[in-house]
Amino acid sequence: MKKLLTLFVLCFTVTTFSQEALLPVRIMATAKERPERFVGTDAFGWEYVIADNEFRKQKDGRVLKYKNLALGDIYKADLQNPLKIVLFYRKFNTVVLLDNQLNATSVISFNEIPKPIIAEAAGLASQNRLWLFDITTQQLGLYDPVRNAFRTLTPPFNDGIAWYQSDYNYFYWADHSGKCFALNLFGTVTALGTAPAFDDAQLLSPSMLLLKKDNNLYQYDLASQKQTPLTITEKTFTAFYYKDGILSIFTPIEFIQYKISLPR
């Protein structure tokens, strides 16, 4: 089905926020029949998806796969290092590390470490460590695979974690009241601001979020608390991902990419 992209600017009223102009985007490509759960892409053009609870890496008709039925559903995948991909199986309190061929290099059960924890969030940190949020103590910290130990970096949280994202040096999260924070490797917590209710999000910078709410996308400035709608044409979509000026949109049957330059 041919996509029609309308470029226009109009005012959009957002409850409790000032009016902002729509950001125009330009469509780049459309690929049909992609019923997977989209995860992301890497710098080499590989696309990562989850289908039938199987983690897949695909490009130009070539597909690599990893599946572990014993661990249940894949809750989240961390792609920041394509040579050390982190799959988090929350129900079984386990992380699997994959190499670039999707071979499992390590399977870490947090039930079996010397001081067991129950992980609610997991992501790759520097020096091959893992960011973890322990739901039992409501604390964030770092897991060291060499020492097989978890070290807390924060006091207990008051309002848990509703959403999170991480990189080597920082763990970012929003609590259930919408307050957003960043934690660095030394245990310093920085308040970033408050976001409105959303269904999903991607942090573009410490002050800028891309938000999905009711099948609409918004760029949201945490400092000014202003949000700007994006003019995508899809009325229903399941996932999105922004990287290097490319906005990828997944619907139940299509994969669409837009070229867009978002201020950070």
Side-chain angles (χ1 to χ4, degrees), residues 166-238:
S166 62
D167 58 33
Y168 291 130
N169 299 311
Y170 287 91
F171 184 95
Y172 304 94
W173 78 96
D175 65 20
H176 291 284
S177 62
K179 295 177 182 177
C180 301
F181 303 90
L183 169 70
N184 68 17
L185 296 167
F186 305 102
T188 302
V189 176
T190 303
L192 303 179
T194 302
F198 58 83
D199 301 320
D200 199 3
Q202 181 181 347
L203 188 76
L204 304 180
S205 73
S207 62
M208 199 69 68
L209 284 165
L210 195 58
L211 303 179
K212 176 181 184 287
K213 177 65 176 176
D214 296 331
N215 287 307
N216 293 299
L217 272 181
Y218 305 92
Q219 186 174 359
Y220 180 77
D221 189 317
L222 283 163
S224 64
Q225 294 193 328
K226 293 180 180 179
Q227 62 183 16
T228 306
L230 274 64
T231 59
I232 62 172
T233 60
E234 288 66 46
K235 301 303 181 184
T236 302
F237 62 99
T238 57

